[in-house]
Amino acid sequence: MTPNWLRQDGRDWIVRLRVQPRSGRDSVGGVLDGRLRIRITAPPVDGKANLHLQRFLADWLGLARRQVQIEQGESARDKRVRLEDVGELPLALRDLMTSEPDR
């Protein structure tokens, strides 16, 4: 069963995030209020946090940066990100789904 923060759209995956900028380190913080919580070190200034988020997610998921697109919430903490042309769900997300209860 797919959690409510994740859905498939053809070969793409849509991920609902809550992003915390200016964190002490980049990390995935589990699921909270129906969103995958991501902490990043970049400040929310001049698009730096969004670019950093794209890079972090691409590295974490083993994707090219061009495959990680912010669809909604460019200037908000709550974002919707599209993982383009991925097909099968990336292993990091599969592992997270089995280890984290949806809260």
Side-chain angles (χ1 to χ4, degrees):
M1 185 170 146
T2 306
N4 62 358
W5 52 267
L6 179 69
R7 85 178 156 83
Q8 190 169 15
D9 183 23
R11 290 189 47 81
D12 298 351
W13 289 89
I14 309 297
V15 186
R16 293 176 48 204
L17 304 176
R18 166 74 49 91
V19 179
Q20 178 184 337
R22 286 195 175 125
S23 180
R25 64 186 174 95
D26 296 334
S27 65
V28 177
V31 177
L32 183 63
D33 295 331
R35 293 183 177 275
L36 183 59
R37 188 171 180 189
I38 304 288
R39 295 177 179 99
I40 56 172
T41 57
V45 178
D46 299 329
K48 289 180 183 179
N50 287 333
L51 183 58
H52 190 90
L53 175 66
Q54 283 179 290
R55 288 179 179 155
F56 172 72
L57 289 175
D59 288 345
W60 179 58
L61 298 171
L63 303 174
R65 191 175 61 183
R66 64 177 163 68
Q67 290 179 279
V68 180
Q69 298 299 320
I70 298 172
E71 281 193 332
Q72 186 178 39
E74 292 238 350
S75 61
R77 288 177 185 248
D78 291 341
K79 300 183 185 300
R80 186 174 68 212
V81 173
R82 179 176 292 268
L83 309 177
E84 295 182 338
D85 197 30
V86 174
E88 187 175 326
L89 187 64
L91 182 60
L93 287 175
R94 276 187 278 157
D95 289 347
L96 184 65
M97 284 173 49
T98 59
S99 67
E100 276 291 323
D102 199 16
R103 297 177 280 184

